[in-house]
Amino acid sequence: MKDVSVVIPICCPDRELITIVDRLIRQTYNIKEIILINTKRCFDGSLLVLDEIEERLKAINKESILKIYEITAEEFDHGGTRDMGLKMASSRYVMFMTQDAVPKNSKLVETLISNFDDGSVAISYARQFPKDNCRYIERFIRKFNYPEYNIRKTKKDIDTMGVKAFFNSDVCAMYDKEKYEIYGGFPAKIIFGEDAVAAYKALENDFCVVYSSKSKVLHSHNYSIVQNFQRNFDIGVSQKQLDYIYSKVSS
């Protein structure tokens, strides 16, 4: 049986994080550890949420599964912090999540890890479903980016798929640590898109990236116009920073 660690970078988490941990420990495939990397801010309320999680785990004798690390806002980086979490993990297979991605059912881990029975797979990412309160545009984006069928991507698909060959989402994605170390992993000091860089590197090293449609999480936002502008601006800046990747392929 393959060991699996879960790594979740968090910042000012709300009670949804409690739900996430509750669902993770009730998966059909046992998780070895849950690592929370907390970007601490003064009086952010995170300790109340983390205390409740610890108490819930203690009540069912699973407190040893939880590991919490604190970093400062200055130390946080989309690529560097996840790289740190992966290196902290004691398992070969590491599942990254965000603090607002909720397992849709009890088979999230089981379905993701099953893709690694194919020894060429380096990364497998989950299907995202909109939450009940999300707007139409978010529902459309989820339907467009996360279809009902699996997708297995290799280096030879880059010419036909263009930038979509590198599509990958650390909202919920599992990595093979041994292959990660071969292809070089996440870049440090990046504001966005560390997951796409990892997928690019994996494909360039002749590994596969698999979209796992049976692995399901609830994840969506109701961004304002300003927030959507900022998000797309950040995407543009990150793609400019990564010109060595994006200049090679079509959109």
Side-chain angles (χ1 to χ4, degrees):
M1 187 172 180
K2 302 177 180 74
D3 284 343
V4 174
S5 298
V6 177
V7 174
I8 310 176
I10 62 174
C11 181
C12 307
D14 59 22
R15 292 185 60 81
E16 193 166 56
L17 183 63
I18 299 171
T19 301
I20 292 168
V21 173
D22 279 348
R23 294 192 183 188
L24 285 174
I25 62 175
R26 289 170 173 77
Q27 291 289 298
T28 55
Y29 194 101
N30 287 332
I31 294 167
K32 185 176 183 181
E33 60 190 351
I34 299 172
I35 299 172
L36 303 179
I37 304 176
N38 186 21
T39 301
K40 190 74 175 69
R41 298 180 186 272
C42 294
F43 312 113
D44 63 9
S46 62
L47 291 181
L48 295 174
V49 172
L50 295 176
D51 284 348
E52 182 166 344
I53 290 172
E54 288 179 317
E55 287 300 316
R56 284 170 176 255
L57 292 176
K58 190 173 182 179
I60 57 174
N61 296 316
K62 286 199 171 186
E63 64 268 29
S64 62
I65 201 173
L66 185 68
K67 297 177 174 63
I68 301 172
Y69 299 91
E70 288 191 358
I71 60 174
T72 64
E74 292 73 27
E75 291 173 306
F76 175 80
D77 174 75
H78 279 274
T81 300
R82 287 180 171 85
D83 181 75
M84 178 180 72
L86 183 137
K87 290 173 179 173
M88 287 176 179
S90 59
S91 305
R92 173 172 171 176
Y93 298 92
V94 180
M95 186 173 83
F96 288 100
M97 298 184 72
T98 55
Q99 68 185 40
D100 57 352
V102 181
K104 194 172 189 293
N105 57 39
S106 63
K107 294 195 173 184
L108 172 62
V109 179
E110 177 186 331
T111 52
L112 270 181
I113 192 67
S114 67
N115 294 294
F116 293 91
D117 291 341
D118 176 346
S120 66
V121 174
I123 305 168
S124 182
Y125 63 99
R127 184 179 180 187
Q128 295 182 30
F129 288 80
K131 295 178 182 178
D132 289 341
N133 65 342
C134 100
R135 300 183 185 122
Y136 175 79
I137 188 64
E138 282 285 312
R139 293 181 183 276
F140 174 80
I141 290 170
R142 295 297 172 279
K143 189 173 182 179
F144 180 82
N145 283 331
Y146 303 97
E148 297 178 354
Y149 50 87
N150 289 359
I151 304 172
R152 183 179 183 274
K153 296 180 283 192
T154 66
K155 188 175 183 178
K156 69 180 182 180
D157 295 311
I158 295 174
D159 287 343
T160 54
M161 294 186 71
V163 71
K164 290 294 282 185
F166 312 139
F167 188 83
N168 174 34
S169 179
D170 282 342
V171 164
C172 184
M174 189 175 289
Y175 291 74
D176 180 338
K177 187 190 288 189
E178 289 188 6
K179 294 182 177 66
Y180 177 95
E181 290 169 352
I182 292 171
Y183 63 76
F186 300 123
K189 303 300 179 187
I190 187 171
I191 64 170
F192 206 89
E194 82 294 332
D195 38 18
V197 177
Y200 163 79
K201 290 181 177 180
L203 296 183
E204 285 294 309
N205 280 270
D206 295 316
F207 296 123
C208 299
V209 175
V210 171
Y211 162 62
S212 181
S213 62
K214 292 183 179 179
S215 308
K216 302 173 182 180
V217 292
L218 299 170
H219 178 260
S220 55
H221 300 284
N222 283 322
Y223 287 137
S224 66
I225 292 174
V226 172
Q227 288 172 318
N228 265 315
F229 175 84
Q230 182 64 59
R231 177 179 173 83
N232 286 301
F233 182 88
D234 289 346
I235 291 172
V237 171
S238 70
Q239 291 189 357
K240 186 64 177 176
Q241 288 178 332
L242 301 167
D243 190 59
Y244 67 94
I245 296 175
Y246 290 104
S247 64
K248 297 178 183 179
V249 295
S250 71
S251 59

